[in-house]
Amino acid sequence: MRDIAIIGIGMIKFGELWKKSLRDIAVEAALNCMKDAGTDRIDSITIGCMSGGLFNGQEHLASLLPDYLGRHTTPAVRVESACASGGMAVRSAFMEVASGMSDYVLALGVEKMTDVSENIETYTLATTADGDYEAFHGINLPGLYALMAKAHIEKYGTTRNQLAEVAVKNHRNGALNPYSQFPMEITVDTVLRSPMVADPLRLFDCSPITDGAAAVLITTVEEAKKIGKQPLVIISGIGVASDTIALCQRKDILKLEAVELAGQRALKMAGKTINDINFAEVHDSYTIAEIMVIEALGIVKEGQGGVATANGLTSLNGKFPINPSGGLKSKGHPIGATGVAQICEAVLQLRGQAGKRQIKNAKTALTQNMGGSGGSCVIHILEAK
Amino acid sequence: MEVARHWRETPERYRMEAGKCSKCGKIAFPGRMVCPKCGSTEFTKHTLSGKGKLVTYTIIRKAPDGFEDLVPYAVGIIELDDGIKILAQITDCNPEELKTGDRVVAKFRRINEDGKTGMIYYAYKFVPDVGI
Amino acid sequence: MVGIVGYGTQIPRYRIKIEEIAKVWGADAASFKRGLNLNEKSVPYPDEDCATLAVNAARNAMSRAGINPQEIGALYVGSESHPYAVKPTGATVSEALGACPYVHTADFEFACKAGTEAMFVALNLVKSGAVKYAIGIGSDTSQGSPGDALEYSASAGAAAYVMGAENLVAELIDTHCFMTDTPDFWRREHANYPEHGGRFTGEPSYMKHVSGAVNAILEKTKMKPEDFDYMIFHQPNGKFPVQMALKLGFKEPQFRFGLLTPTLGNTYSGSSPLGLAATLDEAKPNQLILLVSYGSGAGSDAFIFKTTERLLKVRDMAPRVRKQLDEHKMYLEYGQYAKFRHKIVKPE
């Protein structure tokens, strides 16, 4: 397997992008990426998009996007793993280059969620759960995370305020991120006064509906050195795992086993432990998700995610910053783009280009992207060389 | 209109029929082709116990299509007396008064419909076990 | 000898008081309560309908009957609120019980006597030897037009009867009926609510057919009102059946267990079948019960049952009617009631 580097990243501002279509935002991110990379060589494209079909009446992105990027003969494939589609697109790009099949692969994540009514948005998100044995019974994705939140509160004594602190921290970071959908600070009170969605989760515990796209250009370390990219950012480990799709069938509904396993696999491949990681971008689709993810990764002990967040462990100048970009909560969660956007943020930090939200001594990063209520997870380890 | 998709689940939804692995005895609900524990593909029919206790629950305030009239309603994970965990609505209750650990029992209920003229979907829900 | 092998009921947990309905329409609650002997009625939750009530009642009946569902040869649901106009409730109930595929069904409608007609047919299929067991169910979630007198009483409930020729809890002694084409109450195919003939629903309708059936069965069996331990009439309110009973020579102790309407409302096809179940819940062995239903349109079915020793053995294998009627009630305001009963107009 060849050594892999990321030589270009491309982001667009996330939000409700009424004037821009699916193909517009995907192409915009791709062009930004190529500009950042300083090359327009693309051998192949991997596309992370959860559901062009349900959100936009558009499948076959593997034809549409190369076409609209002005390269209609370029090979492409869409990769799907619910909300982990973006991370999995990066992994597919990695594999294509590492195997020697291609030298330059663009991993392009995109989701245009606002063209449909709120009901269709909710319905589509619920297809990431068990359609016949969960969604059929009237539960939605916030409801599934609410089940985990309630159990977490009852078992570990996690408080409503601690959950809110996740959102507060991520907004504080997101306010410093020019790509954020919601670049404004909030307070615990803002969270607690927002409408209840599924007890105990309120509107501000939940990531928003977002249009967005992000892209990274993957190549070999050898090629990257040739171009003279400094500092070099490499992907040194990837781990993927799945778990039961239905929450009630998990071994322990309070343990995100897919995250645990993916984390172990990624760290093993990179030859690292969690203590070697300086910061992480994680999948805070809901405040409780971030809490359970940092527990699953071993950043904090079992059940201590809420306490640690409230104590500032995961803040921008804490011992282990989580979601310096603002996370899904403040930056936005255009489903297929999220996993790629996490990688973009990690690269910016590792290059020292993160501006006001720069983490000191950022050398090794972990990005964690997961699908549905935790049924799939992909983790990348990135290092500055 | 998705008639076959729903009709196919009749044994599970109407009678709570599960599959019991002939090799290791693990019960899978819904039934499936491959045992999640031992990988065997031989099963016998096992009807789930209709009684259990509430493991965790939430109260849905923003409902998916078709469930608006029920808001606020409780959905939870129930651990049945035969050890199987199942997700379902808890009905015939004030959702705010539910507690983890409450005993519940399965009832046949109307889940949703495909509009005013389409198919009606029935399945199990759970109610507090008060002997009614 | 044929009769009832098992019986079961299901009543929703929600209620609304007469005062609450009267408040909205500016009516005099006190006089309604007095005039109709009606205090509150049951309200089905949005996840309940004629089919769900029928299934849950039938499962309770099966608990008392103790039979293999595959031995059910026929199952009939009588209702005026079948969930589909075309697609039988009986198929859903049979499937839920595990009686399919070798089971006859088709839905019954005859206003409030659809349930007893289903029971009559079930009994006679067993009697003829055509089937081993047959189930007759009366189940309704009927509606009253907003502000109309019927809104105060139209309620929801179901009673199911497993009929067979062995292990009976009550033997069938005899049956009779009285039916004529009478326009006292009806609902056209696409109408949301029924219409009725006001005072015409009394003497030429309810009174004529109930007394017609009572007189016919008493004459056939050479019995007198005082021979019965219990009697149940169809009970559209708490007044008519009492007036009727007293007029025909029955006394209050005979109908005290079977009169449920004052706190249940009129469960239409479930009405007299539920009254019978409530009576079976209290009766001793070897007691005689007279059941006379009434369905607008119009007709009455009369049955005479005699309880057995086995009734005491199986009675507690399923919830009693009074437990479902009196305990764990949840009261609604009119707005919630209107939402549950789909009386609020929404966009298409």
Side-chain angles (χ1 to χ4, degrees):
Chain A
M1 235 175 28
R2 308 194 287 176
D3 290 330
I4 301 301
I6 301 175
I7 58 164
I9 60 162
M11 285 280 293
I12 65 168
K13 182 163 159 64
F14 287 0
E16 288 170 313
L17 309 175
W18 306 112
K19 296 205 193 112
K20 299 180 187 178
S21 69
L22 171 75
R23 51 192 95 172
D24 289 340
I25 58 179
V27 168
E28 192 183 329
L31 291 175
N32 288 347
C33 179
M34 277 139 56
K35 186 157 170 225
D36 178 67
T39 176
D40 55 11
R41 174 150 171 216
I42 299 179
D43 299 335
S44 154
I45 306 175
T46 61
I47 301 160
C49 179
M50 185 189 116
S51 192
L54 289 173
F55 285 125
N56 316 104
Q58 182 68 63
E59 298 287 14
H60 212 185
L61 299 185
S63 168
L64 179 73
L65 297 187
D67 182 357
Y68 274 70
L69 199 44
R71 298 156 183 265
H72 67 276
T73 58
T74 303
V77 66
R78 177 177 71 120
V79 171
E80 183 275 324
S81 187
C83 324
S85 297
M88 293 298 269
V90 175
R91 174 183 180 256
S92 290
F94 177 104
M95 294 193 301
E96 212 175 306
V97 177
S99 67
M101 280 204 82
S102 302
D103 291 326
Y104 285 77
V105 179
L106 182 76
L108 176 55
V110 61
E111 208 80 49
K112 171 98 187 132
M113 299 174 74
T114 59
D115 278 353
V116 291
S117 68
E118 206 185 312
N119 280 355
I120 306 288
E121 285 161 4
T122 314
Y123 167 80
T124 305
L125 280 170
T127 63
T128 64
D130 185 331
D132 292 321
Y133 288 87
E134 291 185 318
F136 171 77
H137 288 282
I139 199 165
N140 44 29
L141 205 51
L144 287 166
Y145 276 94
L147 290 176
M148 291 189 259
K150 187 161 194 357
H152 205 276
I153 289 169
E154 287 192 354
K155 183 165 181 191
Y156 300 118
T158 302
T159 67
R160 239 317 345 190
N161 279 28
Q162 287 165 357
L163 286 174
E165 293 283 4
V166 174
V168 171
K169 163 185 74 74
N170 288 344
H171 267 272
R172 196 180 305 124
N173 298 348
L176 304 171
N177 187 347
Y179 299 113
S180 266
Q181 179 176 12
F182 294 116
M184 69 276 282
E185 293 204 29
I186 61 170
T187 63
V188 166
D189 221 42
T190 316
V191 181
L192 298 185
R193 277 185 295 124
S194 64
M196 190 73 90
V197 173
D199 292 35
L201 298 182
R202 295 180 177 269
L203 186 64
F204 271 68
D205 286 297
C206 308
S207 55
I209 302 290
T210 318
D211 299 329
V216 297
L217 189 57
I218 306 265
T219 185
T220 59
V221 166
E222 202 182 310
E223 284 290 317
K225 283 194 176 135
K226 252 194 253 165
I227 301 175
K229 275 286 176 197
Q230 277 301 317
L232 198 56
V233 176
I234 66 166
I235 299 178
S236 55
I238 304 184
V240 180
S242 59
D243 199 346
T244 64
I245 188 159
L247 179 64
C248 66
Q249 299 201 5
R250 304 265 163 88
K251 211 153 65 181
D252 181 345
I253 66 165
L254 282 174
K255 290 205 161 62
L256 293 169
E257 202 182 349
V259 177
E260 262 181 61
L261 288 174
Q264 286 162 11
R265 291 169 185 169
L267 289 167
K268 183 165 175 210
M269 180 173 160
K272 301 239 177 284
T273 72
I274 194 66
N275 299 319
D276 299 319
I277 308 293
N278 300 135
F279 68 97
E281 282 279 306
V282 308
H283 199 89
D284 62 317
S285 44
Y286 300 88
T287 49
I288 182 66
E290 178 168 318
I291 287 176
M292 286 173 64
V293 165
I294 61 177
E295 291 172 9
L297 290 173
I299 295 169
V300 299
K301 286 209 187 55
E302 177 190 330
Q304 298 305 299
V307 171
T309 305
N311 288 343
L313 175 80
T314 57
S315 67
L316 205 50
N317 29 26
K319 276 220 195 89
F320 201 126
I322 300 283
N323 285 333
S325 66
L328 279 55
K329 177 68 191 75
S330 167
K331 171 163 48 70
H333 181 30
I335 302 177
T338 283
V340 184
Q342 290 174 327
I343 305 262
C344 290
E345 175 71 12
V347 170
L348 282 174
Q349 292 280 351
L350 292 171
R351 284 181 187 170
Q353 292 173 350
K356 291 209 185 90
R357 60 190 199 282
Q358 181 66 52
I359 293 165
K360 297 191 198 6
N361 301 316
K363 288 275 177 290
T364 313
L366 181 149
T367 65
Q368 177 265 343
N369 189 207
M370 79 185 163
S373 66
S376 66
C377 177
V378 54
I379 290 178
H380 290 80
I381 311 288
L382 293 85
E383 298 181 54
K385 285 273 186 246
Chain B
M1 199 191 301
E2 295 175 316
V3 292
R5 172 189 167 188
H6 292 284
W7 158 82
R8 201 175 293 123
E9 308 300 323
T10 299
E12 288 84 358
R13 291 184 182 162
Y14 282 28
R15 298 188 294 275
M16 297 178 80
E17 283 176 16
K20 185 170 179 163
C21 178
S22 305
K23 196 159 146 216
C24 74
K26 176 157 174 81
I27 298 165
F29 183 80
R32 22 169 110 198
M33 291 174 67
V34 181
C35 177
K37 191 169 172 197
C38 74
S40 160
T41 54
E42 303 279 318
F43 293 88
T44 56
K45 185 170 84 177
H46 171 95
T47 302
L48 294 181
S49 153
K51 295 177 176 254
K53 67 174 198 276
L54 205 50
V55 168
T56 182
Y57 67 95
T58 183
I59 301 173
I60 303 289
R61 311 253 175 201
K62 256 199 131 307
D65 264 354
F67 294 92
E68 303 87 347
D69 282 352
L70 303 176
V71 171
Y73 59 95
V75 186
I77 294 178
I78 296 110
E79 184 170 342
L80 299 172
D81 290 344
D82 49 19
I84 307 302
K85 290 207 188 69
I86 186 173
L87 181 127
Q89 280 186 38
I90 299 100
T91 188
D92 275 359
C93 67
N94 176 352
E96 315 268 358
E97 289 173 4
L98 289 173
K99 279 184 312 307
T100 301
D102 278 352
R103 293 282 311 167
V104 292
V105 64
K107 288 277 189 191
F108 186 82
R109 287 298 172 105
R110 183 170 168 143
I111 304 294
N112 208 343
E113 61 185 15
D114 184 11
K116 287 271 146 266
T117 60
M119 191 175 156
I120 301 171
Y121 309 122
Y122 295 101
Y124 45 84
K125 287 193 188 185
F126 284 79
V127 301
D129 191 356
V130 292
I132 288 177
Chain C
M1 204 21 66
V2 303
I4 302 168
V5 182
Y7 68 98
T9 61
Q10 189 68 70
I11 297 172
R13 295 263 311 266
Y14 291 88
R15 304 283 182 273
I16 186 168
K17 290 195 203 281
I18 299 310
E19 290 88 339
E20 186 59 31
I21 302 174
K23 194 168 67 182
V24 170
W25 301 108
D28 180 357
S31 71
F32 256 111
K33 290 172 74 168
R34 264 195 321 271
L36 299 177
N37 189 10
L38 204 52
N39 295 311
E40 60 188 42
K41 65 172 190 171
S42 66
V43 181
Y45 193 58
D47 63 12
E48 299 186 273
D49 66 13
C50 156
T52 67
L53 290 172
V55 168
N56 291 312
R59 284 181 173 164
N60 284 336
M62 291 293 283
S63 296
R64 289 189 172 113
I67 64 163
N68 177 351
Q70 284 288 296
E71 292 190 301
I72 298 166
L75 184 150
Y76 301 108
V77 180
S79 180
E80 49 185 284
S81 53
H82 287 290
Y84 293 87
V86 177
K87 188 179 172 305
T89 310
T92 303
V93 179
S94 299
E95 192 70 75
L97 291 185
C100 294
Y102 305 113
V103 55
H104 274 275
T105 196
D107 283 352
F108 280 41
E109 184 282 308
F110 198 139
C112 304
K113 93 161 187 78
T116 54
E117 185 69 27
M119 289 163 66
F120 172 80
V121 171
L123 282 162
N124 283 284
L125 282 177
V126 174
K127 189 168 172 189
S128 72
V131 303
K132 187 170 182 193
Y133 296 105
I135 300 187
I137 304 173
S139 174
D140 253 308
T141 55
S142 261
Q143 289 271 39
S145 184
D148 178 80
L150 290 180
E151 193 185 22
Y152 293 88
S153 57
S155 66
Y161 290 86
V162 178
M163 311 300 194
E166 54 192 22
N167 296 321
L168 307 179
V169 300
E171 294 168 355
L172 179 69
I173 302 300
D174 215 330
T175 67
H176 214 319
C177 68
F178 190 98
M179 191 278 290
T180 70
D181 190 341
T182 305
D184 59 318
F185 166 107
W186 64 88
R187 184 171 66 80
R188 293 288 299 276
E189 173 95 56
H190 298 291
N192 282 335
Y193 303 107
E195 296 181 23
H196 57 89
R199 286 192 57 80
F200 183 79
T201 61
E203 205 244 292
S205 309
Y206 181 85
M207 314 275 175
K208 171 176 164 183
H209 296 79
V210 169
S211 56
V214 168
N215 293 333
I217 202 170
L218 290 184
E219 179 160 341
K220 183 184 182 193
T221 56
K222 304 278 178 273
M223 290 173 80
K224 296 185 294 303
E226 52 266 33
D227 293 337
F228 296 96
D229 296 286
Y230 303 108
M231 53 131 305
I232 306 111
F233 284 168
H234 170 58
Q235 28 195 298
N237 52 58
K239 230 10 178 328
F240 276 18
V242 174
Q243 283 171 342
M244 194 79 256
L246 297 175
K247 187 164 170 200
L248 291 171
F250 296 91
K251 305 249 184 306
E252 199 271 340
Q254 290 171 299
F255 53 79
R256 77 185 185 286
F257 292 135
L259 183 65
L260 305 174
T261 305
T263 54
L264 173 58
N266 179 3
T267 57
Y268 286 51
S269 299
S271 181
S272 50
L274 272 162
L276 172 63
T279 306
L280 289 171
D281 281 344
E282 304 290 340
K284 300 202 218 342
N286 301 307
Q287 291 194 305
L288 282 169
I289 304 174
L290 172 68
L291 167 71
V292 183
S293 66
Y294 172 74
S296 290
S300 284
D301 299 324
F303 305 75
I304 297 174
F305 291 103
K306 185 170 178 197
T307 56
T308 69
E309 296 284 344
R310 185 170 174 271
L311 176 61
L312 297 186
K313 292 203 191 84
V314 302
R315 196 135 79 187
D316 289 318
M317 286 177 168
R320 295 196 187 201
V321 176
R322 288 253 58 121
K323 189 172 171 99
Q324 292 178 344
L325 185 52
D326 300 335
E327 296 181 25
H328 302 286
K329 300 188 281 191
M330 296 186 282
Y331 286 94
L332 299 169
E333 294 170 358
Y334 191 87
Q336 293 166 305
Y337 161 78
K339 182 176 85 163
F340 287 7
R341 301 308 287 135
H342 312 297
K343 292 184 174 186
I344 300 177
V345 179
K346 287 184 175 185
E348 288 299 307

